[in-house]
C-alpha cells in the first residue's frame, strides 16, 4: 500500500471510529495495516473491549461472527464476504442435534471455527489455545467435541473425560505431509518444530511442541533456539518474523488457507469508505451463541 493510501486508511479510521483487527494467518500487507494482530481468542477479546464503534475484521466469517456475538452494539465488517472456513462448514445444526441425541449425558464443546447457529446449540466454545482447559471446566463426564477431529484427539489425550469426537477437519492442516516435516527436521537439526493441533497426530509425533498460534509466540519468547520450523498456516511465519526479527522461521508442510488470503488492502479501504459488508446474525441465535462464547471467555480469562 502506498504512503498516500496508508494516510487515507488512517483518516478514515479516525472518521469512522474504526479499528482494524487481523488474524495471524492474514497476508503480510494486511497484518501491516492492522491495529492488532492475534488469534481468534485474542481478537474476540479485543472486539469486546475496544472503544471503537466499527471493527474491520480481517479474517474469515466465523471470526467476524464471534466479534458480532460479543459486541453486538458495534458494526463488524468482513471486507471479503466470501472468506469462509471449510472446517466451520463441516458442521450443521441438524447433524449436531443428531449427535447430541446419541449422547444425552454429554455437553457440547464447540471449536470456535464453526457457524454461529451451531454455537447456539452448544454448552460452550473453545479455541486451540484453551481447548483442554475448557473441556476440563465443563460440568459433565462426557463431552461432544466438534468439529475438528484432530483437536478433539489432542484434547482426549489430555483429559480423563470421555470425548465423543466429530468427524471434521481443516483441510489445510489435516493435509500436511508428515514426510515433509521429517525431511525438514533432518535438514535443520538444530531448529525447533512447532505444529498446530489441527494437524494429524503423525505430525505431532515429529514436533517439539503442539500449539495454537498464541502458544507458538510464547514458546519462541521463552526458547533459546534461533531457528523454528512452523507447521501452521504460512501467514504465521510473517507474524513471528515481525515479532522476533533476530530469529529464523521457516514455514513447513505447505499449509496455506486461500480463504485467509482473500482480504486485500483495497477491500479494507473500500470497507472503511462504505461500512460494508457488515456481519449480522438472527438476534435469537446471537443471544444463545453469546452464552456459549461467554462460558469460554470466563474460563480463559
Ligand atoms: O484460534 C485461532 O485463531 C486459530 C484459527 C488458530 C490458532 O491456533 O490461533
Amino acid at each position: 500500500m502506498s504512503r498516500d493510501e496508508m494516510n487515507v486508511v488512517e483518516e478514515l479510521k479516525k472518521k469512522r471510529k474504526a479499528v482494524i483487527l487481523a488474524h495471524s494467518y492474514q497476508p503480510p500487507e494486511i497484518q501491516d495495516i492492522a491495529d492488532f494482530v492475534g488469534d481468534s481468542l485474542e481478537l474476540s477479546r479485543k472486539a469486546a473491549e475496544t472503544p471503537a464503534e466499527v471493527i474491520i475484521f480481517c479474517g474469515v466469517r466465523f471470526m467476524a461472527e464471534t466479534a458480532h456475538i460479543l459486541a453486538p452494539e458495534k458494526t463488524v465488517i468482513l471486507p471479503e464476504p466470501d472468506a469462509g472456513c471449510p472446517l466451520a462448514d463441516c458442521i450443521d445444526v441438524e447433524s449436531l442435534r443428531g449427535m447430541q441425541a446419541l449422547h444425552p449425558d454429554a455437553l457440547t464443546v464447540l471449536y470456535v471455527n464453526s457457524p454461529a447457529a451451531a454455537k447456539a446449540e452448544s454448552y460452550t466454545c473453545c479455541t486451540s489455545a484453551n481447548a483442554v482447559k475448557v473441556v476440563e471446566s465443563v460440568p459433565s463426564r462426557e463431552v461432544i467435541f466438534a468439529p475438528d477431529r484432530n483437536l478433539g484427539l489432542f484434547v482426549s489425550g489430555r483429559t480423563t473425560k470421555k470425548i465423543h469426537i466429530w468427524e471434521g477437519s481443516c483441510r489445510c492442516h489435516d493435509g500436511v505431509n508428515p514426510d515433509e516435516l521429517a525431511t525438514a527436521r533432518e535438514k535443520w537439526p538444530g531448529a525447533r518444530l512447532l505444529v498446530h493441533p489441527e494437524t494429524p497426530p503423525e505430525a505431532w509425533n515429529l514436533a517439539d511442541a503442539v500449539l495454537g498460534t498464541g502458544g507458538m509466540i510464547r514458546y519462541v519468547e521463552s526458547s533459546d533456539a534461533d531457528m523454528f520450523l512452523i507447521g501452521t498456516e504460512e501467514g504465521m511465519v510473517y507474524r513471528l518474523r515481525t515479532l522476533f526479527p533476530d530469529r529464523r522461521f521457516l514455514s513447513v508442510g505447505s499449509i496455506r488457507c486461500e480463504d485467509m488470503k482473500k482480504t486485500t488492502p483495497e477491500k479494507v479501504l473500500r470497507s472503511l469508505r462504505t461500512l460494508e459488508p457488515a456481519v449480522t446474525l438472527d438476534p435469537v441465535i446471537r443471544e444463545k451463541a453469546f452464552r456459549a462464547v461467554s462460558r469460554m471467555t470466563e474460563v480463559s480469562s
Side-chain angles (χ1 to χ4, degrees):
M1 198 171 234
S2 69
R3 202 25 45 228
D4 284 352
E5 283 168 324
M6 290 285 273
N7 290 341
V8 177
V9 167
E10 286 308 316
E11 271 168 33
L12 283 169
K13 264 179 21 189
K14 270 193 210 122
K15 185 168 159 203
R16 299 298 200 189
K17 298 193 175 61
V19 68
I20 301 177
L21 303 185
H23 192 269
S24 304
Y25 294 163
Q26 285 286 292
E29 59 278 18
I30 297 297
Q31 296 194 28
D32 285 347
I33 57 169
D35 295 294
F36 184 80
V37 184
D39 65 20
S40 54
L41 182 61
E42 292 162 341
L43 295 176
S44 320
R45 287 209 182 105
K46 279 279 166 202
E49 288 162 12
T50 178
E53 291 171 14
V54 172
I55 297 168
I56 307 289
F57 204 108
C58 303
V60 294
R61 174 158 294 271
F62 79 81
M63 296 176 178
E65 279 185 357
T66 308
H68 171 64
I69 289 166
L70 287 169
E73 71 291 355
K74 295 167 192 163
T75 303
V76 179
I77 314 279
L78 183 65
E80 169 49 66
D82 285 337
C85 172
L87 169 60
D89 295 340
C90 285
I91 191 159
D92 63 86
V93 169
E94 206 183 319
S95 320
L96 177 58
R97 284 185 183 157
M99 190 159 176
Q100 289 168 333
L102 287 176
H103 304 289
D105 295 332
L107 289 171
T108 302
V109 175
L110 205 70
Y111 192 27
V112 283
N113 305 38
S114 53
K119 290 186 175 78
E121 301 288 320
S122 302
Y123 178 76
T124 186
C125 292
C126 73
T127 68
S128 53
N130 59 20
V132 176
K133 197 170 173 189
V134 168
V135 165
E136 286 289 305
S137 76
V138 165
S140 65
R141 284 285 314 130
E142 285 183 44
V143 165
I144 291 172
F145 190 94
D148 191 76
R149 175 193 58 232
N150 292 336
L151 184 59
L153 287 170
F154 180 80
V155 172
S156 8
R158 285 154 184 81
T159 178
T160 54
K161 296 202 180 207
K162 184 167 183 192
I163 312 287
H164 305 284
I165 301 175
W166 187 272
E167 190 51 46
S169 63
C170 160
R171 56 183 177 222
C172 308
H173 283 90
D174 194 41
V176 76
N177 180 352
D179 291 343
E180 215 182 298
L181 302 186
T183 308
R185 282 228 83 142
E186 272 170 35
K187 196 164 173 195
W188 289 283
R192 301 285 153 80
L193 172 62
L194 311 182
V195 301
H196 196 276
E198 285 176 21
T199 59
E202 301 77 52
W204 314 342
N205 296 338
L206 293 163
D208 291 293
V210 184
L211 299 161
T213 57
M216 288 182 184
I217 291 172
R218 286 186 291 279
Y219 184 99
V220 173
E221 229 159 26
S222 62
S223 166
D224 53 11
D226 62 14
M227 184 171 181
F228 301 85
L229 307 172
I230 303 300
T232 190
E233 211 284 333
E234 60 183 35
M236 187 58 193
V237 166
Y238 182 74
R239 171 115 173 96
L240 287 163
R241 285 182 184 147
T242 309
L243 290 172
F244 306 101
D246 56 338
R247 317 273 191 109
R248 283 189 299 159
F249 300 95
L250 208 64
S251 175
V252 289
S254 318
I255 309 173
R256 180 180 163 88
C257 171
E258 292 305 333
D259 281 280
M260 280 286 179
K261 308 306 179 212
K262 286 180 178 168
T263 323
T264 62
E266 293 69 34
K267 289 175 191 171
V268 171
L269 197 50
R270 190 182 60 204
S271 291
L272 278 165
R273 287 203 169 103
T274 62
L275 291 192
E276 281 176 357
V279 171
T280 52
L281 291 168
D282 174 308
V284 176
I285 289 180
R286 193 206 72 79
E287 193 55 48
K288 286 168 84 184
F290 177 77
R291 275 205 313 255
V293 176
S294 304
R295 283 197 178 108
M296 168 184 81
T297 50
E298 277 158 26
V299 166
S300 38
S301 61

